[in-house]
Amino acid sequence: MKKHILIIEDNKACTDTLVKITKECDSTSVIFCADTIQKAYQTAMEMPIDLFLVDIILGKEPGDVSGMTFVNHIREVKRYQFVPIIFVTSLEDYKMSAYDTLHCYQYIEKPFDIKQVRETILSALEFPCVYENSNRFFQYRKDKIIYNIDTNNLVYASYEARIMQLHMEQETVQVPYLTCRAMMGRLNAMYFLKCNRNTIINRRYIDYIDQTNRYVGMTNGKVLEIGSVLKKSFLRELGYDH
């Protein structure tokens, strides 16, 4: 499975060097580049990223550590809590802080030692993809028959009267005795998240978000409430709150 790698660096020469080395490490990888934390965050929300290479200094201002600010935000996103992050830096003072609080995987120091950079990237690429362990098909048993649901076609799921309602593109399937918590444990966390206590949505079917009135509109025309308790984490997962 192809790895998705995001390089966050505002120096073009450094970016080109990191892209070249990364391609040498894994020629099949898909590499994205961003020179600001705004572009980086947008990319990370739109695409599943398996490895981050982040320059700590992304600006010209003295004391700038916007790369660490980005990582601090990205670690709050559930699916990126344990994805390997390699810092690109020449700042010794920030090493211990980043290891302790941001759980960075390793450092690449400037000026680059090509051999060390290659070894570091190769090691980080051994981590599994963020979506590698998730199954596309959801199975359930009803009347002694096992059914398969293609979750790519699941728009949202709602728990009503102790029955899980699976709202597909073309039909609604009822699965008794299945809670939201159990359902979430069997879905791909890359694409599914709870918008309220009893509703799970597929982010690929989101049409719009109304943050003020706490609603999410789905492409099938359904409007679902965003729970007040889950609002902050829900918006963060979608990149609206950072």
Side-chain angles (χ1 to χ4, degrees), residues 48-240:
I49 303 300
D50 303 294
L51 171 62
F52 294 90
L53 282 77
V54 184
D55 186 10
I56 286 182
I57 300 177
L58 291 172
K60 307 300 182 183
E61 296 297 325
D64 174 88
V65 286
S66 52
M68 291 185 70
T69 301
F70 166 79
V71 173
N72 185 57
H73 287 311
I74 213 68
R75 283 300 193 213
E76 294 178 348
V77 178
K78 186 176 181 180
R79 68 181 185 273
Y80 290 132
Q81 286 180 347
F82 304 107
V83 170
I85 295 174
I86 298 173
F87 272 123
V88 180
T89 183
S90 56
L91 301 177
E92 293 285 337
D93 293 344
Y94 291 98
K95 286 191 173 183
M96 290 309 298
S97 172
Y99 272 122
D100 291 342
T101 62
L102 301 178
H103 309 291
C104 87
Y105 177 71
Q106 191 51 272
Y107 278 87
I108 295 174
E109 295 187 0
K110 294 180 180 180
F112 294 143
D113 178 329
I114 302 301
K115 180 181 178 181
Q116 184 249 342
V117 173
R118 185 179 294 110
E119 290 176 349
T120 301
I121 292 175
L122 280 170
S123 177
L125 287 172
E126 293 179 1
F127 281 71
C129 294
V130 295
Y131 46 82
E132 193 170 69
N133 297 322
S134 299
N135 295 322
R136 172 178 171 179
F137 293 94
F138 168 78
Q139 289 188 336
Y140 71 96
R141 183 188 296 270
K142 188 174 182 180
D143 299 327
K144 298 183 180 180
I145 300 175
I146 296 178
Y147 296 89
N148 280 318
I149 292 290
D150 186 345
T151 60
N152 282 349
N153 299 322
L154 176 58
V155 181
Y156 73 98
S158 57
Y159 185 65
E160 305 168 24
R162 299 188 180 181
I163 296 177
M164 183 63 67
Q165 309 276 349
L166 306 182
H167 302 274
M168 314 297 292
E169 287 184 316
Q170 302 296 333
E171 62 178 335
T172 297
V173 178
Q174 295 185 337
V175 184
Y177 312 116
L178 180 66
T179 65
C180 269
R181 182 176 181 180
M183 184 73 184
M184 279 297 296
R186 297 166 66 177
L187 290 173
N188 186 336
M190 179 68 212
Y191 300 113
F192 291 92
L193 67 162
K194 294 174 68 175
C195 64
N196 60 59
R197 191 175 71 172
N198 296 316
T199 308
I200 301 167
I201 68 166
N202 187 338
R203 70 174 70 219
R204 291 171 291 191
Y205 287 93
I206 294 176
D207 186 28
Y208 63 89
I209 302 286
D210 185 335
Q211 298 185 57
T212 302
N213 297 305
R214 292 194 291 110
Y215 288 110
V216 52
M218 309 302 288
T219 55
N220 67 348
K222 186 69 175 180
V223 177
L224 303 169
E225 180 186 6
I226 302 172
S228 57
V229 175
L230 293 178
K231 179 182 177 181
K232 185 175 181 179
S233 61
F234 176 79
L235 294 175
R236 181 186 300 131
E237 284 290 324
L238 296 174
Y240 283 83

